[in-house]
């Protein structure tokens, strides 16, 4: 059973209990480029109380550096080493777990942020934002030259997805022996400022269906993401809380990592999802309407 936070003393108790606060971004701090009311003040309140703040996002469209630009643009204090995106975690996974030989490459379905993180980890790639893949011309195998050095396909949220990208990824995954299928995350939807859009999971779904196999997924709720954070941020799980809006990523992620979980209702999950007749079996430790509610914390 979750504890519903609703009074200034509830908020004060939580602030006292946890030293490290991991924040999901989309649906918790903002919706698209629209800040959640009170988010800036509450983050400031946590910093004034010397809390460690980490931003943990499955959104692979931006690198850590480009997320820092977004934080700056929105007037939210954030430092690059506090930001952990699934693009970064995927690049670290490929460089430190797969350990690709220098001449090997990955084929990317994704955007500039994912390319930037791969480059920063020294990983060669083809595809991604390359204009040649952005064509709306029908894909033809007879004109396609397979790059035999491609040993993995990486798929993240790509708002310019098309049949050519899916077809090239499918060729690599079916014709290059041992080619790895990796997705940055599997979120079904993306909570934009004006409503839900298909998420990264919906971008890789056609490949899963065509291949008849599941990829390795790096982002929340996978432990890969948490291992990446622990290696850099060294937090104490017993005094850490994950604040998220999505039960099957953020809350499961916290539970898998042995950290406490706080669900907010400003993103994907609604009141109905946690109290209705078909309430989810995923039960967060705490629930609050919005992160902004912490503004009224008892002094
Ligand atoms: O489709 C996606 O990639 C996700 O909906 C989105 O980007 C999630 O971001 P987060 O809520 O983890 O910040």
């Amino acid at each position: 059973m979750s504890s519903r936070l609703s009074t200034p003393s509830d908020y004060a108790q939580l602030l006292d209990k946890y030293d490290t606060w991991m924040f999901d971004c989309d649906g918790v701090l903002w919706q698209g480029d629209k800040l959640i009311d009170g988010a800036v003040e509450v983050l400031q309140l946590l910093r004034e109380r010397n809390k460690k703040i980490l931003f943990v996002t499955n959104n692979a469209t931006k690198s850590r550096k480009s997320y820092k630009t977004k934080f700056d643009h929105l007037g939210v204090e954030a430092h690059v080493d506090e930001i952990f995106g699934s693009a970064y975690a995927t690049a670290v996974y490929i460089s430190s777990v797969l350990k690709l030989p220098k001449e090997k490459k990955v084929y990317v379905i994704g955007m500039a942020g994912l390319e930037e993180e791969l480059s920063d980890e020294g990983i060669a790639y083809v595809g991604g934002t390359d204009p040649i893949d952005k064509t709306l011309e029908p894909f033809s195998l007879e004109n396609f030259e397979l790059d035999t050095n491609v040993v993995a396909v990486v798929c993240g949220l790509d708002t310019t997805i098309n049949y050519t990208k899916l077809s090239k990824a499918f060729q690599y995954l079916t014709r290059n022996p041992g080619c790895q299928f990796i997705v940055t995350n599997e979120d079904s939807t993306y909570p934009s400022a004006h409503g839900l859009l298909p998420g990264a999971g919906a971008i890789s779904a056609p490949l899963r269906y065509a291949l008849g196999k599941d990829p390795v997924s790096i982002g929340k709720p996978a432990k890969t993401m948490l291992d990446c954070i622990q290696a850099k941020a060294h937090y104490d799980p017993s005094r850490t809380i994950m604040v998220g809006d999505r039960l099957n990523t953020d809350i499961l992620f916290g539970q898998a990592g042995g950290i406490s979980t706080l669900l907010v209702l400003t993103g994907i999950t609604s009141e109905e999802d946690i109290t209705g007749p078909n309430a989810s079996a995923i039960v967060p430790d705490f629930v609050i309407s919005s992160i902004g509610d912490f503004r009224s914390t008892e002094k």
Side-chain angles (χ1 to χ4, degrees):
M1 182 75 182
S2 303
S3 302
R4 179 64 65 107
L5 306 177
S6 57
T7 66
S9 66
D10 290 344
Y11 308 146
Q13 279 173 41
L14 225 69
L15 289 182
D16 290 342
K17 189 172 177 182
Y18 298 104
D19 301 330
T20 300
W21 289 65
M22 289 186 187
F23 284 96
D24 172 38
C25 298
D26 291 316
V28 174
L29 302 179
W30 55 61
Q31 288 162 338
D33 285 331
K34 185 172 169 293
L35 272 172
I36 297 289
D37 186 31
V40 175
E41 296 90 328
V42 171
L43 289 171
Q44 200 47 44
L45 175 71
L46 289 168
R47 290 190 188 279
E48 285 161 6
R49 294 178 179 223
N50 298 318
K51 303 297 182 182
K52 176 185 276 196
I53 293 177
L54 299 172
F55 301 101
V56 184
T57 176
N58 270 3
N59 190 316
T61 62
K62 288 182 175 61
S63 63
R64 304 174 93 193
K65 287 176 219 157
S66 51
Y67 255 113
K68 162 70 177 153
T69 304
K70 175 168 184 171
F71 277 108
D72 291 348
H73 173 71
L74 291 173
V76 181
E77 182 187 347
H79 310 280
V80 172
D81 60 2
E82 293 173 336
I83 303 168
F84 291 87
S86 61
Y88 171 66
T90 299
V92 169
Y93 170 78
I94 293 173
S95 64
S96 59
V97 176
L98 295 190
K99 296 193 173 78
L100 297 191
K102 274 290 164 233
E103 74 281 4
K104 298 302 181 187
K105 310 172 194 173
V106 302
Y107 178 76
V108 174
I109 292 180
M111 303 173 78
L114 180 52
E115 291 176 321
E116 190 180 331
E117 295 291 11
L118 291 169
S119 297
D120 285 357
E121 284 293 318
I123 300 161
Y125 63 85
V126 289
T129 58
D130 184 337
I132 196 169
D133 281 6
K134 289 197 172 180
T135 173
L136 292 178
E137 289 302 309
F139 177 76
S140 154
L141 268 181
E142 58 190 314
N143 310 325
F144 174 60
E145 216 175 295
L146 194 77
D147 182 337
T148 53
N149 275 319
V150 168
V151 292
V153 166
V154 176
C155 184
L157 182 56
D158 184 342
T159 56
T160 63
I161 188 67
N162 62 20
Y163 191 72
T164 291
K165 293 182 176 190
L166 291 171
S167 300
K168 287 188 176 182
F170 182 78
Q171 296 307 312
Y172 287 124
L173 287 164
T174 50
R175 290 165 58 186
N176 278 11
C179 189
Q180 304 266 329
F181 183 20
I182 300 164
V183 296
T184 58
N185 59 301
E186 299 179 289
D187 297 57
S188 53
T189 54
Y190 166 61
S192 82
H194 306 290
L196 288 184
L197 292 170
I203 300 299
S204 54
L207 280 176
R208 307 168 78 124
Y209 185 70
L211 293 163
K213 81 176 202 179
D214 290 338
V216 170
S217 181
I218 304 299
K220 300 171 286 186
K223 201 166 170 311
T224 319
M225 183 87 150
L226 204 62
D227 293 344
C228 175
I229 298 167
Q230 183 63 281
K232 299 279 183 182
H234 312 296
Y235 58 85
D236 172 358
S238 67
R239 301 219 15 113
T240 298
I241 189 163
M242 174 72 206
V243 185
D245 69 306
R246 192 191 289 263
L247 292 169
N248 68 351
T249 56
D250 304 320
I251 303 306
L252 269 188
F253 175 74
Q255 291 173 346
I259 61 182
S260 298
T261 55
L262 168 61
L263 176 74
V264 298
L265 301 175
T266 47
I268 296 291
T269 307
S270 67
E271 190 72 51
E272 180 68 19
D273 297 327
I274 53 172
T275 55
N278 302 315
S280 170
I282 303 167
V283 180
D285 296 303
F286 305 99
V287 177
I288 194 169
S289 301
S290 166
I291 194 64
D293 294 352
F294 277 103
R295 279 174 292 184
S296 56
T297 299
E298 201 168 61
K299 296 284 179 245

